[in-house]
Amino acid sequence: MELAYIPSPSRGVLYLGPVPLRGYAFCIIIGVFVAVWLGNKRWIARGGRSGTVADIAVWAVPFGLVGGRLYHVITDYELYFSEGRDWVDAFKVWEGGLGIWGAIALGALGAWIGCRRRGIPMPAYADAVAPGIAFAQAIGRWGNWFNQELYGRATDLPWALKITSSADGREPGTYHPTFLYESLWCVGVALLVIWADRRFRLGHGRAFALYVAAYCAGRFWIEYMRVDDAHHILGLRLNNWTALLVFLLAVTYIVVSARKRPGREPVVEPGAGPSGDGEENDEAGETGARAGSAGSSASSGASASAGKGGEGTTPGGADPAGKS
């Protein structure tokens, strides 16, 4: 007898006339706003100008969406380039398929371009936005709840996710809510980075590296709970190897950076004054408009991707559409 479970929404999209309003897209857009808002507060506390974070996010967000799609297409190439498949489908973002690894990698490239244009050190910017990115991931994962996807093995635990949809090969039942596990882990990662940054005054990209390492540690065990089809190398899923490799790189960076460049950058933005030591001040007045621009960049890709969700599922939580 099922005593308790997490219910799934009856639908993941509402229609305002002919316009679809997708829960998945809203989660991603809200995540972008939170990341920019918190990043702006932290940037000001480090001695930067209000609004700079949002200006650079206008570069980072679109690059991140493209990177997420590229990672999915490359790692699941057989869905588009094998016999009987149409390679044109690789461009149909609205059918789902985004990967966090590619989103962060190419998003970082976009941020680097924005930083170069402003004469800002990229590591300092990365440190400021790191916890906000983790919070954004935590919020974005709830888009999978709206789409009844990204769940794990069947379970009768009280916090099991109740799947009611039978679309796309789903089997109604109760499953491990791996989307929820990752969302809670990301909240913990954000809090860890904020605490460590205040306690140890992390600089030169070490706060961002801590975020990366902590996320990878959680993603490694969460991958074991997923039962969808995936490429395996020496018995481990591809995403397990990716998480392990990126974790090692992040830890190595922290150690080497701490030895070569201890402390923080004295100046993070030209003409904005030295880095601040006090509490993070809320001077985000002009950030809302700039964040709106970044959020708008995310909305089209997120809304399209939510057509089947960033990570579609098949029986038992399989996700042929994307392995984010």
Side-chain angles (χ1 to χ4, degrees):
M1 177 178 175
E2 297 174 354
L3 299 179
Y5 56 80
I6 301 172
S8 290
S10 59
R11 62 174 66 180
V13 56
L14 297 175
Y15 287 91
L16 187 61
V19 180
L21 304 176
R22 305 184 188 279
Y24 188 95
F26 276 121
C27 289
I28 292 180
I29 295 169
I30 292 172
V32 170
F33 272 90
V34 169
V36 172
W37 170 78
L38 180 57
N40 183 70
K41 292 186 65 175
R42 288 171 53 81
W43 184 250
I44 293 171
R46 292 287 299 274
R49 291 191 177 95
S50 177
T52 296
V53 168
D55 288 341
I56 296 175
V58 172
W59 286 89
V61 172
F63 272 72
L65 290 173
V66 173
R69 183 60 177 177
L70 283 175
Y71 181 88
H72 162 65
V73 172
I74 292 172
T75 56
D76 290 299
Y77 60 88
E78 67 278 0
L79 297 177
Y80 308 101
F81 304 107
S82 60
E83 185 177 355
R85 301 282 186 171
D86 186 357
W87 64 271
V88 176
D89 291 341
F91 297 95
K92 297 179 180 178
V93 181
W94 56 90
E95 293 187 354
L98 295 172
I100 186 62
W101 310 109
I104 293 296
L106 216 57
L109 175 60
W112 176 79
I113 294 174
C115 286
R116 289 268 298 181
R117 290 168 60 89
R118 299 289 294 259
I120 291 171
M122 174 67 177
Y125 178 84
D127 284 341
V129 301
I133 293 175
F135 279 129
Q137 287 179 256
I139 296 170
R141 277 299 176 217
W142 281 90
N144 302 121
W145 176 69
F146 280 101
N147 285 352
Q148 296 199 36
E149 61 187 0
L150 199 57
Y151 48 89
R153 304 183 185 92
T155 182
D156 58 359
L157 291 171
W159 56 84
L161 175 66
K162 179 75 171 183
I163 296 298
T164 58
S165 173
S166 58
D168 298 324
R170 295 182 180 87
E171 294 183 1
T174 55
Y175 300 88
H176 275 286
T178 51
F179 83 90
L180 176 60
Y181 299 159
E182 186 168 340
S183 178
L184 293 176
W185 184 269
C186 286
V187 170
V189 169
L191 296 177
L192 170 66
V193 174
I194 291 173
W195 170 81
D197 194 25
R198 290 177 175 175
R199 174 66 177 80
F200 303 106
R201 294 184 53 78
L202 302 176
H204 300 284
R206 289 188 288 277
F208 185 82
L210 176 61
Y211 145 70
V212 172
Y215 172 75
C216 289
R219 183 59 186 265
F220 190 88
W221 67 265
I222 290 172
E223 277 295 312
Y224 277 116
M225 307 195 75
R226 296 174 62 170
V227 295
D228 52 291
D229 293 331
H231 296 290
H232 286 73
I233 302 174
L234 299 178
L236 286 179
R237 294 164 62 97
L238 175 61
N239 279 335
N240 280 120
W241 284 109
T242 303
L244 179 59
L245 174 61
V246 176
F247 172 84
L248 293 175
L249 291 174
V251 171
T252 300
Y253 179 88
I254 292 174
V255 174
V256 174
S257 175
R259 291 179 178 177
K260 290 188 173 183
R261 293 186 174 183
R264 282 181 173 175
E265 300 89 342
V267 176
V268 297
E269 186 167 3
S275 174
D277 293 325
E279 292 296 319
E280 295 172 357
N281 302 311
D282 187 359
E283 298 179 20
E286 66 184 82
T287 302
R290 291 185 173 92
S293 179
S296 298
S297 299
S299 63
S300 57
S303 299
S305 179
K308 288 186 179 178
E311 295 171 313
T313 56
T314 52
D319 66 345
K323 295 176 170 46
S324 171

